[in-house]
């Protein structure tokens, strides 16, 4: 025979999340838009600054790599000259 067991699972409890800051009812939509624009400008300025820093780091890395390549070529030529002199 089949053994059928029924499991009792508690129903999920619904909770209400309340906003900790009550939104004033008399907020001017234009003031709200101005505030949003100011926040966006601030974030864009921050992104622009970070982009500038990253660009500078990339340029520095490229210059370091080119200098390493130059040093390698100079060392290779010096070794060839030493071999020719021997």
């Amino acid at each position: 025979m089949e053994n059928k067991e029924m499991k009792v699972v508690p129903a999920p409890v619904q909770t209400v999340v309340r906003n900790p800051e009550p939104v004033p009812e008399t907020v001017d939509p234009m003031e709200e838009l101005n505030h949003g624009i100011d926040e966006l400008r601030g974030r864009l300025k921050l992104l622009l600054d970070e982009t500038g820093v990253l660009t500078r780091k990339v340029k520095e890395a490229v210059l370091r790599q080119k200098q390493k390549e130059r040093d390698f070529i100079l060392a290779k030529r010096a070794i060839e000259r030493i071999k020719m002199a021997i």
Side-chain angles (χ1 to χ4, degrees):
M1 291 197 125
E2 293 181 21
N3 187 5
K4 293 183 180 179
E5 292 183 20
M6 294 194 63
K7 294 183 180 181
V8 177
V9 178
V13 178
Q14 292 183 349
T15 58
V16 177
V17 178
R18 296 182 187 209
N19 193 357
E21 296 180 18
V23 178
E25 298 296 325
T26 59
V27 175
D28 184 21
M30 294 303 282
E31 284 295 319
E32 189 175 341
L33 286 173
N34 279 335
H35 181 68
I37 290 171
D38 288 341
E39 285 181 358
L40 180 61
R41 282 183 181 155
R43 285 183 279 181
L44 286 174
K45 185 180 182 314
L46 179 64
L47 286 173
L48 180 63
D49 293 343
E50 289 177 0
T51 304
V53 169
L54 291 175
T55 302
R56 181 183 48 80
K57 287 183 179 182
V58 167
K59 287 180 181 179
E60 289 174 356
V62 168
L63 287 175
R64 279 194 307 267
Q65 182 63 31
K66 286 182 180 180
Q67 185 61 44
K68 284 182 181 181
E69 290 173 3
R70 283 188 210 116
D71 292 343
F72 177 77
I73 291 171
L74 290 174
K76 187 177 175 182
R77 287 180 185 165
I79 291 171
E80 288 174 4
R81 279 189 238 126
I82 291 170
K83 284 181 181 178
M84 296 286 281
I86 295 178

